[in-house]
Amino acid sequence: MPEVAANATDAVLAEWLVAESAEVTVGDALATVETDKALVDVEADADGVVLKVLVAAGTRVEVGSPIAVLGAAGEEYDPSLVEAPTTAPPATNGATRVFASPLARKLAKDGGLAIEDLVGTGPRGRILRRDVDKALASPVVEEGAGTPSPVVEEGAGTPPSVVEEGALAPVSKPPSAEGAVPHTRRRRAIASRLTESKQTAPHFYARATVRADALVALRAEINAGEVKVSLNDLVVKAVAAAHRAVPEMNVVWMPDAVRTFDTVDVAVAVATDRGLVTPVLRDVTALPVSTVAERVRDLAGRARDGRLRQDELEGGTISVTNLGMYGVEEFAAIINPPHAAILAVGAVRDEPVVEDGAVVPGRLMTVTLSVDHRPVDGVVAARWLAVLKDLLEHPVRILA
């Protein structure tokens, strides 16, 4: 089991892509492994034959433990030469293996359900996401009871216990109004990274208010045709252009040096049911805005389905996070390590503005830049933000 995510101690072997006795070559995908943020394919590092699969799909395995044995054609598997993998037992029901998709297993675990208790509606009874969703939405019925127990909404606490007629109710404190939602692996990972960021990266903040009239008009003009873009797509393009104009911002802090980059890779924050992820869009300055929009939609869709590759979550020097669609006018975000900065984008709002000495209606948007002060000085961030503001207020330059 490889360490597909930094500092990971274990991972779930989600699916085998080859069978025993199959011939493989270097680079062939052998299995899919589930990390906190993505599904990652494990590739063969040598030509050979799959002599033995040691771990069943759906099993959590410690990093470094063997998951399969590869050998030469004609070679036989010798169990005495292989250390037993360190695993949690695969989900089973008696002696029968339970077939379930990796996503269904994760959702069941996060929802506190035993996968072997679910009824699958997929091929060969395979448990799918819809089966988990149905189980989570169903009221809980105690074994042998004629009526269902009350359904407890998330955060509503635990219902009082059922007391048999004539029995004395135990003296106890009233049920708490607060519930407890167990941490998922992804939520723990997010918490760990953001805590690390605030503890190790000295944040400072710079804010600008942008006249967004031209930006909104440009988007409407583009969307009048076949190409559809969002305001955030245009912001991502502007961020990349600002990095090109102020290359001192296109850096990350390393233990022994400040690393610089020739291309501009921008991460885009995507909210999913299982937490926030930040897939990275590569070489944004070389892409037309239509391609940026298409790739952002693809990354966001696969992020919500849990199908991002690990390499799509790595790299970049800055993230863009946008809460404007929720009506949030202004906020400051925590830097996503090892990035040097993150740009928080607020909603476009109608406000009176002064123009040539007269008060006129205008459309304003607030952007807040959070910066790691280790690799980036305040004057560099100020120059960058001035360039970004100018690009957003003259957005035709973004398309150049």
Side-chain angles (χ1 to χ4, degrees):
M1 175 63 69
E3 185 183 5
V4 291
N7 302 318
T9 58
D10 58 34
V12 175
L13 199 154
E15 181 181 7
W16 281 107
L17 304 178
V18 295
E20 290 185 358
S21 303
E23 295 185 1
V24 296
T25 58
V26 174
D28 284 352
L30 302 177
T32 300
V33 171
E34 182 181 0
T35 69
D36 293 322
K37 294 185 176 181
L39 295 175
V40 181
D41 286 344
V42 178
E43 298 179 348
D45 55 9
D47 296 346
V49 175
V50 181
L51 300 181
K52 182 68 175 179
V53 170
L54 301 175
V55 175
T59 304
R60 186 178 304 281
V61 187
E62 288 189 5
V63 168
S65 291
I67 56 177
V69 179
L70 299 185
E75 187 177 355
E76 294 185 359
Y77 167 63
D78 184 354
S80 65
L81 300 179
V82 181
E83 181 183 355
T86 307
T87 68
T92 60
N93 185 3
T96 305
R97 177 184 166 192
V98 176
F99 291 91
S101 72
L103 180 58
R105 290 184 183 275
K106 182 171 180 59
L107 292 177
K109 180 183 177 183
D110 293 347
L113 301 177
I115 197 74
E116 60 268 21
D117 292 338
L118 303 182
V119 177
T121 60
R124 294 192 300 162
R126 184 178 176 88
I127 298 170
L128 306 176
R129 176 175 184 169
R130 62 173 179 259
D131 303 317
V132 180
D133 291 340
K134 181 179 179 181
L136 290 172
S138 301
V140 178
V141 180
E142 296 186 6
E143 185 176 357
T147 57
S149 61
V151 178
V152 183
E153 295 182 356
E154 183 177 8
T158 306
S161 351
V162 177
V163 181
E164 293 182 359
E165 184 178 358
L168 292 178
V171 178
S172 63
K173 296 167 61 177
S176 169
E178 297 181 357
V181 179
H183 299 313
T184 63
R185 295 179 71 235
R186 176 172 294 183
R187 179 52 57 188
R188 289 184 186 275
I190 292 172
S192 175
R193 287 179 63 82
L194 295 184
T195 301
E196 174 194 357
S197 177
K198 289 294 285 187
Q199 289 177 341
T200 61
H203 287 52
F204 73 91
Y205 308 92
R207 184 186 68 181
T209 300
V210 176
R211 281 290 300 269
D213 306 73
L215 187 69
V216 173
L218 176 62
R219 184 209 176 198
E221 185 176 351
I222 293 174
N223 288 350
E226 295 183 0
V227 175
K228 303 300 178 185
V229 304
S230 68
L231 286 179
N232 203 59
D233 297 329
L234 294 170
V235 171
V236 170
K237 276 289 292 181
V239 165
H243 261 44
R244 181 66 74 190
V246 186
E248 301 96 317
M249 280 285 291
N250 194 25
V251 298
V252 297
W253 176 264
M254 305 292 287
D256 300 317
V258 174
R259 184 179 178 186
T260 62
F261 297 85
D262 295 329
T263 61
V264 181
D265 301 338
V266 180
V268 180
V270 178
T272 75
D273 293 340
R274 296 171 298 283
L276 188 72
V277 292
T278 51
V280 179
L281 196 62
R282 310 291 179 187
D283 200 7
V284 179
T285 53
L287 303 177
V289 69
S290 58
T291 303
V292 169
E294 179 183 346
R295 293 189 181 177
V296 168
R297 282 194 296 269
D298 173 63
L299 289 170
R302 288 191 290 113
R304 296 185 180 102
D305 292 338
R307 297 298 304 180
L308 288 174
R309 302 189 308 272
Q310 186 67 26
D311 64 285
E312 293 173 322
L313 295 164
E314 298 171 345
T317 58
I318 187 171
S319 303
V320 174
T321 178
N322 192 330
L323 294 180
M325 65 285 295
Y326 300 103
V328 175
E329 296 183 357
E330 177 185 340
F331 68 107
I334 300 175
I335 298 167
N336 181 32
H339 293 174
I342 184 170
L343 184 74
V345 183
V348 175
R349 60 193 187 274
D350 294 321
E351 289 194 11
V353 296
V354 178
E355 190 175 276
D356 297 328
V359 178
V360 299
R363 311 199 77 176
L364 303 181
M365 180 176 70
T366 299
V367 292
T368 304
L369 182 68
S370 304
V371 188
D372 183 347
H373 214 327
R374 294 174 299 176
V376 178
D377 291 330
V379 66
V380 173
R383 284 170 43 216
W384 184 92
L385 195 57
V387 171
L388 179 74
K389 175 180 167 70
D390 185 62
L391 286 167
L392 293 175
E393 292 183 341
H394 304 87
V396 173
R397 299 175 189 172
I398 299 173
L399 306 181

